[in-house]
Amino acid sequence: MKRFNPLVHFPLDFILCLGASFSAYACISVFFLFPLILSLEGYQPIAVGAAWIIFEFVLLGTREWVNRFLSTRGTRLGMLAGSFILALGVVILFTGLPYATILLGRSLMGAGWGLFYIANTLHQARALPPALLGRGFGIAGLAPLLPQLGLIPLAEWLVLNNHPGFVYAVSLLGCLLSIVFAWRLSGEKPSTASHISLKECFRESWKVPHLKAILLSGSIFAFAAAGIMPYVANAAREWGIAGSTFLWSEALAALATRLFFGGWVDRFGKRLLFPLFSCISLGALLAMALGNTWAFLLGGVLYGFGMGLAYPLLYALLAKVAGEGSKTAIFTLFGTFIDLLWAIAPLVAAAGAQLLGFGTVLRGMAIILLVSVLFMRLKIWPWLGEKS
């Protein structure tokens, strides 16, 4: 019997990018437990929140620098530098120095991750053959899922048992492995085209309907995650059920669809947008509206199936329509659209939950998501022409 090998036919550079991505995501995934570490060390919620959110604000604030760096230095050096800066942030946090140092460490992590992530996806887009864009980005999308499933339960147990050093050790090892994989990448010549600023790229892209549609789709994708995922466990606690019922079913469904059905993206393309985003919104609404174990389980599967394929679909569409001369700026701009929602939506949800509770807020978020998807279907996605 022929052995299943999902990486056959893929270029070596893509496989090395995949290794670097898995390694860096090992750091990012376990650092979801950093707020827990700070709480156990006695920091107040406002201090914990500030140390968490500064990561996103620094990431957003360095976007133009990332765009210029990748335009002039290339994606290989971008991954190397990003992994090193990320590792430096982890080392600073491990020292356990005063709170200002914690903010510095998280800031460095935000700058490093922002540079690494854009460089990694951009290198993948250039390395993948056009016929394998969907399948390739589907496999690449496993990188945030597997460390989350495999490392976080063990790391959480160790943190609660007074062994936070595991989080720092895994994070630092992930950064070092990422540097090793990125070092082996083939060096590429930076684009000979003149540097395009994000402001100019935004102005020009907003005039092109199919590019505008993809950028807005990225925002809806980010809202679907950032408006729901951070507080599922909090809402579940209010309803007396286990949040892991949704989180695990979602993660496993997303993992399976990215691994086995990524080829659908190459086959059906933009026709998948409405079905996939419908699965995401209906899964979220089912889980949050009913608020019981079975609704969480089924809703998580629907949500995960949609999220699992929406990720490679959006990046495949973006890679196809982005011209080589503007690809760096467009990928950076797309990442900015996503990260803006990741910075704003959790803050809005937390503020609303202060008054109404997490359950009520997540039900509201699910309704807003469904309305947004219907709006996209009627007004935005028809802009995607044959080119996309």
Side-chain angles (χ1 to χ4, degrees):
M1 179 182 288
K2 218 175 180 182
R3 291 180 66 185
F4 174 66
N5 182 1
L7 294 180
V8 70
H9 305 313
F10 285 103
L12 177 60
D13 259 29
F14 171 75
I15 297 172
L16 291 172
C17 270
L18 192 61
S21 183
F22 270 98
S23 302
Y25 265 113
C27 171
I28 294 300
S29 293
V30 296
F31 250 84
F32 275 107
L33 295 172
F34 189 61
L36 177 61
I37 293 174
L38 291 180
S39 295
L40 293 174
E41 290 178 354
Y43 286 94
Q44 294 299 311
I46 187 67
V48 174
W52 179 257
I53 202 65
I54 196 171
F55 175 97
E56 283 290 344
F57 283 120
V58 170
L59 186 151
L60 285 168
T62 55
R63 277 295 187 224
E64 185 56 63
W65 169 74
V66 167
N67 179 40
R68 184 174 295 276
F69 186 100
L70 296 177
S71 295
T72 57
R73 306 280 182 168
T75 49
R76 176 179 178 269
L77 188 57
M79 275 184 268
L80 288 169
S83 299
F84 178 80
I85 298 170
L86 188 61
L88 182 60
V90 173
V91 170
I92 289 174
L93 291 171
F94 180 65
T95 60
L97 292 173
Y99 185 72
T101 310
I102 292 175
L103 296 179
L104 173 62
R106 286 294 290 165
S107 297
L108 286 171
M109 288 187 72
W113 178 249
L115 177 58
F116 174 86
Y117 178 75
I118 298 297
N120 187 263
T121 52
L122 186 56
H123 201 99
Q124 288 172 8
R126 287 172 171 159
L128 284 168
L132 292 176
L133 280 170
R135 187 175 294 278
F137 277 116
I139 293 173
L142 300 178
L145 295 174
L146 292 180
Q148 179 182 339
L149 288 169
L151 287 173
I152 285 184
L154 173 61
E156 183 179 17
W157 183 82
L158 288 169
V159 167
L160 291 172
N161 284 276
N162 201 30
H163 297 290
F166 179 80
V167 168
Y168 300 111
V170 168
S171 299
L172 189 57
L173 178 61
C175 294
L176 295 176
L177 285 174
S178 179
I179 290 173
V180 171
F181 281 112
W183 188 267
R184 297 184 59 198
L185 286 167
S186 61
E188 85 287 8
K189 293 181 180 179
S191 174
T192 56
S194 58
H195 169 72
I196 303 173
S197 70
L198 286 186
K199 184 178 180 180
E200 181 184 353
C201 182
F202 172 74
R203 186 170 58 246
E204 294 303 316
S205 299
W206 209 247
K207 298 175 184 176
V208 182
H210 60 266
L211 271 176
K212 186 176 179 180
I214 294 171
L215 292 172
L216 290 173
S217 298
S219 294
I220 298 297
F221 176 79
F223 175 72
I228 303 291
M229 294 294 284
Y231 305 118
V232 166
N234 302 70
R237 185 180 178 188
E238 292 179 3
W239 297 326
I241 58 177
S244 58
T245 309
F246 181 90
L247 294 171
W248 273 75
S249 60
E250 179 275 330
L252 291 173
L255 187 152
T257 53
R258 287 178 183 176
L259 182 59
F260 297 109
F261 302 114
W264 286 10
V265 172
D266 300 310
R267 183 177 178 185
F268 299 109
K270 64 186 179 183
R271 287 177 287 174
L272 291 174
L273 278 168
F274 182 60
L276 293 179
F277 277 90
S278 295
C279 283
I280 295 170
S281 58
L282 290 174
L285 186 62
L286 174 65
M288 302 309 142
L290 298 182
N292 59 54
T293 298
W294 286 107
F296 262 42
L297 183 63
L298 180 56
V301 170
L302 280 171
Y303 181 95
F305 179 85
M307 293 293 282
L309 281 184
Y311 174 90
L313 174 61
L314 290 175
Y315 275 105
L317 291 174
L318 190 68
K320 287 179 179 177
V321 301
E324 188 55 42
S326 60
K327 187 168 283 188
T328 298
I330 288 176
F331 266 73
T332 308
L333 182 65
F334 183 75
T336 303
F337 267 69
I338 288 177
D339 290 319
L340 274 172
L341 267 294
W342 266 105
I344 294 170
L347 285 176
V348 172
Q354 189 73 30
L355 299 173
L356 304 172
F358 284 103
T360 301
V361 167
L362 261 61
R363 284 178 176 136
M365 288 288 189
I367 292 171
I368 293 171
L369 176 60
L370 179 61
V371 172
S372 300
V373 170
L374 293 174
F375 174 80
M376 294 290 288
R377 172 65 181 87
L378 294 173
K379 298 294 185 179
I380 306 298
W381 287 328
W383 293 346
L384 289 167
E386 289 302 317
K387 188 174 180 181
S388 54

